[in-house]
Amino acid sequence: IAQELWDGDIPVAHSSAVRQPYIIEGEAPLKDGVAFSERSDYFRKEALRGCPKAQHSYGLLLWSGFAEVTIDADESAKFHAAAAYQNHLDGMAVFGGCLRTGTGVKKN
């Protein structure tokens, strides 16, 4: 499903990250020098570079509308799918909810 949402081009940290037997969790920290008001741009940039914590963090902003981000459930599901694809536990949980409710994914 993640492959389908990203049209086969999921941003990942590195190709071996997906198959590693470890779990990642939590949100991405803001890098020193990044203003709190710039967090959405920062997380989006890092998410598109493949950081699973940033994918989860940006997905949460898309879901909630915080940081002046326009609420977009479809994009939120997409970024959580990318995080889940990289073994991000919180991303898996949120994306599981998307699958269960049909939010941001096609229903069969």
Side-chain angles (χ1 to χ4, degrees):
I1 295 172
Q3 290 282 357
E4 182 180 317
L5 290 174
W6 283 93
D7 294 325
D9 194 22
I10 301 171
V12 294
H14 51 76
S15 61
S16 63
V18 176
R19 302 292 180 234
Q20 295 296 322
Y22 61 87
I23 299 293
I24 303 164
E25 61 183 327
E27 293 184 48
L30 276 178
K31 185 175 149 184
D32 287 341
V34 176
F36 192 67
S37 62
E38 298 171 355
R39 67 190 178 275
S40 64
D41 291 336
Y42 174 76
F43 289 145
R44 183 178 189 283
K45 180 177 152 187
E46 293 301 308
L48 292 173
R49 286 185 177 168
C51 174
K53 287 185 175 188
Q55 290 165 341
H56 172 62
S57 296
Y58 189 61
L60 290 175
L61 292 177
L62 287 164
W63 179 257
S64 67
F66 290 147
E68 300 180 14
V69 173
T70 301
I71 293 174
D72 188 332
D74 291 348
E75 283 295 296
S76 177
K78 183 176 171 178
F79 278 95
H80 280 106
Y85 185 79
Q86 295 188 85
N87 300 323
H88 189 282
L89 183 62
D90 301 307
M92 289 179 203
V94 175
F95 189 57
C98 293
L99 292 171
R100 188 179 69 251
T101 62
T103 302
V105 295
K106 294 179 186 175
K107 290 186 178 184
N108 290 336

